Amino acid sequence: MSNYEEIMKLALERGFYFPSCEIYADAPAGFWEYGPTGVGLKNKFIDLWRRELVRRDGMLEIDGCQIMSKSVFVASGHLDNFTDPIIKCSNCKSTFRADRYIAERTGENISERSDDLNMDATIKKYDLRCPNCNGTFEKVNRFNMMFGLGIGPNADPAYLRPETCQTIFVDFGRVFKTMRGKLPLGIAQIGKSFRNEISPRQSLLRLREFYQAEIEVFCNPYKLDDLQQFQDVKDTVLNLYDGTSNVEVTADEGLTKSLLPNKLVAYYLCLLNEFYAKTGIDMKRTRFRRLSDDEKAFYSSIGFDFEVETSVGWLELVACNYRSDYDLRRHALTSKHNLEVIDPSDNSKVLPHVFELSMGIDRSIYAILEHSYYEDYTHDDRIVLGLKPYLAPISIGVLPLMRKDGIGEKAKEIYSALKREFESFYDDSGSIGRRYRRLEEIGVPFVVTADKTTMEDDTVTVRSRDSMQQERVKVSALVQFFRNALSTEPKIG
């Protein structure tokens, strides 16, 4: 199994991601940028998300603003509730996140929403001190994680959004009306969110600026078990975790055993499960963790976290929350706009409830990299990124065995023909074995090699990354060959 350090080395050396402003000493932590191969993988991941969730379920997609008015976050509750507990050294003024510092030093699992006085008492009980100067701590305080800014010459207050979903909520009325929406209705969005994390760390795993793939399903709260599409997924096996034990059940069994609250929630958990099964993540190392009352967000009445096991522990990739009517009710009250809609199935007026699938793209990319990376000791200790072909940032490598005798020119002709349709890469530098290895490290599933035989019969060698098997293919048949190899609908497993 690969580890974080190996993935970090790969990311930095092969252009997946790297720190922002890294040439400057004052570069702030928690900001990372995608390189060319990382952008390719991220875009393919988003394409898969759109196909397997958005289009499959007939959702609508919007693209909202990242800067939003103060009123939005008064209504959403973020100004009052979107906080982390912090402790500050009374001597050197070093600042730490209280719940995590306590957990690291004592082993006690204290929720970030635990009472501040309880955390103060725990710090006193264990005589916890500043690791930098051994000073004592001030009382636990609350730090709001939103980035505030001023708009225009008067610096009117506004904020960078801490989650993409608020755009969807404030746009719901217009989108539902103009698109002639019917409940249940999924509205999706890809975009950046911003959180002023106290101590961001571990590259893509905790960021201050990050990508989210958001889905908000607006539904009639009186018809959560009327979802006909549930029949399509009722036999999907889900791994449910309650904090102490795992149980594998079909979605249908989960409802019967009251492990899942209703068909609507079960249906979307199944879609999410099927999506991640197509990313190359080992589904045996994933679970839906049912959140306790202490763990749930302030807006959530039912919560599941989709988690994946990695070398740094279990990572939350998707927050799945039944938000009831919290958001639309609050925005309606604050804005004085009626956000009720008519459910045409019975012409009833209803303020929709919301079930969300809030996906962290960056963490998902990391998990895919770690689960796809392996070292093949049977073949010259090669390092391979075994990405699904439809997720690979580069689909085809084109290599001339040598540059002389017209082979280099022929390989360039083949590359020019392929790159119009497929993400392709040409490389004529170094030994052929070394070039194979470089492409395997970034997950390229196929390599085309032009050689002396190519000049005689117009065939090339097509080499598979995973099996290392080779076959001769006519140059004139290459485009159709790769259409078949790369355009196959991804299958689970």
Side-chain angles (χ1 to χ4, degrees), residues 308-349:
V308 59
E309 186 182 21
T310 70
S311 62
V312 295
W314 286 91
L315 286 181
E316 172 202 338
L317 301 189
V318 190
C320 311
N321 289 298
Y322 188 79
R323 303 175 72 118
S324 66
D325 65 353
Y326 175 89
D327 301 281
L328 292 189
R329 173 172 47 82
R330 300 262 306 201
H331 284 299
L333 288 171
T334 304
S335 68
K336 311 303 182 188
H337 277 71
N338 185 0
L339 296 177
E340 292 178 314
V341 298
I342 300 296
D343 186 343
S345 65
D346 59 6
N347 289 320
S348 62
K349 182 177 284 189

Side-chain angles (χ1 to χ4, degrees), residues 229-237 249-253 270:
Q229 302 98 300
F230 176 75
Q231 293 303 310
D232 300 333
V233 300
K234 65 184 179 68
D235 295 324
T236 300
V237 176
V249 292
T250 66
D252 214 13
E253 291 170 341
C270 288

Side-chain angles (χ1 to χ4, degrees), residues 263-430:
K263 287 185 178 179
L264 184 134
V265 168
Y267 170 73
Y268 285 101
L269 294 186
C270 288
L271 291 195
L272 188 67
N273 195 79
E274 292 181 5
F275 164 76
Y276 272 103
K278 296 174 182 178
T279 66
I281 285 176
D282 181 0
M283 295 305 289
K284 294 179 181 178
R285 295 164 59 196
T286 66
R287 66 190 185 191
F288 285 95
R289 183 166 67 91
R290 180 76 179 253
L291 301 183
S292 66
D293 290 340
D294 288 339
E295 295 174 307
K296 288 184 299 188
F298 61 89
Y299 47 73
S300 176
S301 57
I302 300 170
F304 291 88
D305 279 350
F306 178 76
E307 298 180 327
V308 59
E309 186 182 21
T310 70
S311 62
V312 295
W314 286 91
L315 286 181
E316 172 202 338
L317 301 189
V318 190
C320 311
N321 289 298
Y322 188 79
R323 303 175 72 118
S324 66
D325 65 353
Y326 175 89
D327 301 281
L328 292 189
R329 173 172 47 82
R330 300 262 306 201
H331 284 299
L333 288 171
T334 304
S335 68
K336 311 303 182 188
H337 277 71
N338 185 0
L339 296 177
E340 292 178 314
V341 298
I342 300 296
D343 186 343
S345 65
D346 59 6
N347 289 320
S348 62
K349 182 177 284 189
V350 61
L351 183 65
H353 283 205
V354 174
F355 182 63
E356 80 172 355
L357 304 173
S358 180
M359 180 184 297
I361 293 178
D362 311 283
R363 284 185 167 198
S364 296
I365 295 297
Y366 174 82
I368 291 169
L369 289 174
E370 186 175 301
H371 278 228
S372 301
Y373 178 101
Y374 65 94
E375 296 180 5
D376 185 359
Y377 295 109
T378 62
H379 296 95
D380 301 324
D381 295 343
R382 65 178 186 144
I383 292 173
V384 182
L385 194 59
L387 296 170
K388 295 290 187 182
Y390 44 82
L391 287 183
I394 296 173
S395 302
I396 306 165
V398 180
L399 316 179
L401 187 62
M402 58 185 72
R403 299 177 195 169
K404 61 183 182 180
D405 300 331
I407 297 174
E409 288 76 9
K410 183 65 174 179
K412 288 180 179 178
E413 289 177 16
I414 294 169
Y415 168 65
S416 295
L418 291 176
K419 71 179 181 179
R420 296 173 186 173
E421 187 168 340
F422 311 103
E423 292 85 358
S424 304
F425 182 78
Y426 179 84
D427 188 3
D428 61 7
S429 175

